[in-house]
């Protein structure tokens, strides 16, 4: 996903007001970073490269293959269980609605005219969708996002949640970013998470969670969801570190794993708590090795799901 566009903001220092959310974020994010530090010291899969000069650009490329680059991409079939953390009691999320938004679509590249159509995102107009990025060996972001979404669905349904996907490779392209937001709104979702992987430069590693900024323009008004979305995002970031051992991004977010943006239609047009997560950088060989591993994708699904569960249970 691109980091250019109107309204893109790097994380800003928070005001000194210490409300309940401030306390929660202060507890969650440092704890997550400490968890990663312990994991990395023990030889885990965290970032072991020196952080390069931060960049704010990402070049997306069309999907070149629907197949993973090696057998490791197919290992570890989606399951509803994990040994990373004991599951909550059965039915703990009964009555809760979660919408999972797998970024892009595996056949978007066949419908360039349709996905290049401009749609209203409140602050301005943007493309309906993009092709997404891929690893250097051709494993497409759209394949990755669907796989993680399926694994998350199994985990969350096991705990009683009603889970809806914005797309399940059941349409030729899209949906457009404005429709993705409407799907979550119409479902009355208690939480929405959009799954992505980045396409930044080599040496840029790690994950980051994108939070909605305060927008009140055109058909967009995120003011009511900014705080609950920040809570959701912080919990996901903390559990993602704990379960996967991956480090927060070394090129954006100032080491927090959290970034605020106002230029994404999927966030701007949401009326329910929603975040994006960029699970890693497909253009870095070390991150790509994780993203193409079925076992690691199961951990990613578990970490994101655990964050959602924590948010929904309060």
């Amino acid at each position: 996903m691109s980091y250019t566009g109107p309204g893109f903001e790097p994380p800003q220092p928070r005001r000194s007001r210490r409300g309940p959310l401030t306390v929660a974020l202060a507890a969650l994010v440092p704890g997550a970073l400490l968890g990663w530090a312990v994991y990395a010291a023990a030889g885990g899969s965290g970032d072991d490269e020196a952080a390069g000069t931060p960049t704010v650009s990402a070049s997306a490329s069309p999907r070149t293959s629907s197949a993973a680059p090696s057998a490791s991409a197919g290992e570890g079939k989606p399951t509803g269980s994990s040994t990373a953390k004991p599951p909550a009691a059965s039915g703990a999320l009964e009555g809760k609605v979660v919408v999972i938004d797998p970024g892009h679509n595996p056949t978007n590249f066949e419908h360039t005219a349709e996905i290049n159509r401009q749609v209203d995102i409140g602050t301005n107009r943007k493309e309906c969708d993009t092709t997404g990025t891929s690893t250097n060996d051709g494993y497409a972001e759209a394949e990755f996002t669907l796989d993680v979404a399926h694994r998350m669905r199994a985990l969350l349904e096991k705990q009683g949640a009603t889970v809806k996907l914005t797309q399940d490779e059941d349409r030729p392209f899209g949906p457009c970013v404005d429709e993705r937001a409407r799907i979550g709104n119409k479902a009355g979702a208690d939480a929405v998470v959009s799954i992505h992987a980045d396409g930044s430069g080599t040496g840029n590693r790690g994950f980051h969670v994108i939070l909605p900024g305060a927008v009140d323009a055109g058909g967009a008004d995120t003011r009511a969801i900014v705080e609950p979305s920040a809570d959701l995002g912080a919990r996901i970031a903390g559990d993602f570190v704990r379960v996967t051992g991956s480090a927060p991004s070394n090129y954006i977010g100032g080491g927090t794993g959290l970034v605020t943006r106002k230029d994404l239609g999927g966030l701007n047009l949401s009326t329910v708590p929603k975040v994006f997560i960029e699970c890693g950088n497909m253009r870095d060989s070390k991150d790509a090795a994780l993203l193409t591993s079925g076992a690691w994708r199961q951990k990613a699904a578990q970490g994101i799901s655990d964050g959602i569960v924590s948010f929904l249970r309060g």
Side-chain angles (χ1 to χ4, degrees):
M1 287 177 31
S2 174
Y3 291 105
T4 60
F8 168 61
E9 297 181 346
Q12 299 296 320
R14 293 187 179 272
R15 295 179 180 177
S16 60
R17 179 176 63 87
R18 292 185 176 272
L21 177 59
T22 306
V23 175
L25 292 174
L28 286 166
V29 177
L33 296 175
L34 176 61
W36 171 76
V38 171
Y39 184 95
S45 61
D47 184 4
D48 59 358
E49 296 180 348
T53 302
T55 66
V56 290
S57 63
S59 56
S61 63
R63 173 176 178 258
T64 56
S65 170
S66 61
S70 68
S72 64
E75 66 179 309
K77 299 296 183 181
T79 66
S81 62
S82 171
T83 58
K85 182 179 182 180
S90 179
L93 298 185
E94 186 174 356
K96 300 294 186 180
V97 177
V98 176
V99 171
I100 303 172
D101 180 26
H104 312 290
N105 184 311
T107 52
N108 269 358
F109 75 101
E110 297 175 349
H111 300 272
T112 54
E114 291 91 342
I115 66 170
N116 285 329
R117 177 173 64 85
Q118 299 281 302
V119 298
D120 185 1
I121 66 166
T123 53
N124 63 301
R125 299 182 71 83
K126 286 185 73 171
E127 294 83 359
C128 158
D129 202 0
T130 68
T131 58
T133 188
S134 66
T135 66
N136 293 331
D137 290 325
Y139 181 53
E141 179 184 2
E143 300 286 350
F144 168 82
T145 65
L146 270 172
D147 182 83
V148 173
H150 291 159
R151 295 169 188 270
M152 288 176 59
R153 179 170 61 188
L155 291 166
L156 292 166
E157 286 182 341
K158 186 175 181 181
Q159 298 205 47
T162 298
V163 180
K164 301 178 184 294
L165 271 59
T166 57
Q167 61 93 10
D168 197 4
E169 210 168 359
D170 52 357
R171 52 193 299 159
F173 65 91
C176 296
V177 293
D178 56 341
E179 184 182 351
R180 289 174 186 267
R182 287 195 297 270
I183 290 170
N185 298 345
K186 185 176 179 180
D190 296 287
V192 184
V193 178
S194 189
I195 311 299
H196 288 268
D198 205 3
S200 189
T202 298
N204 291 342
R205 296 196 61 196
F207 77 94
H208 61 278
V209 179
I210 304 174
L211 315 174
V215 173
D216 181 17
D221 186 354
T222 63
R223 291 173 295 177
I225 68 164
V226 166
E227 287 206 10
S229 297
D231 185 17
L232 171 63
R235 291 173 187 270
I236 288 174
D239 280 314
F240 197 83
V241 168
R242 178 182 57 78
V243 178
T244 67
S246 292
S249 171
N250 66 6
Y251 60 99
I252 191 168
T256 67
L258 302 174
V259 177
T260 298
R261 291 180 64 170
K262 296 182 180 180
D263 65 319
L264 298 177
L267 295 179
N268 287 0
L269 301 175
S270 182
T271 58
V272 295
K274 182 174 181 177
V275 299
F276 280 45
I277 181 168
E278 299 277 3
C279 296
N281 177 21
M282 293 195 123
R283 293 297 186 173
D284 177 84
S285 61
K286 291 186 177 181
D287 268 12
L290 300 176
L291 297 164
T292 55
S293 162
W296 188 88
R297 291 195 300 271
Q298 185 65 29
K299 291 180 180 179
Q302 184 76 61
I304 300 168
S305 298
D306 284 356
I308 294 171
V309 172
S310 174
F311 171 74
L312 294 179
R313 299 185 74 184

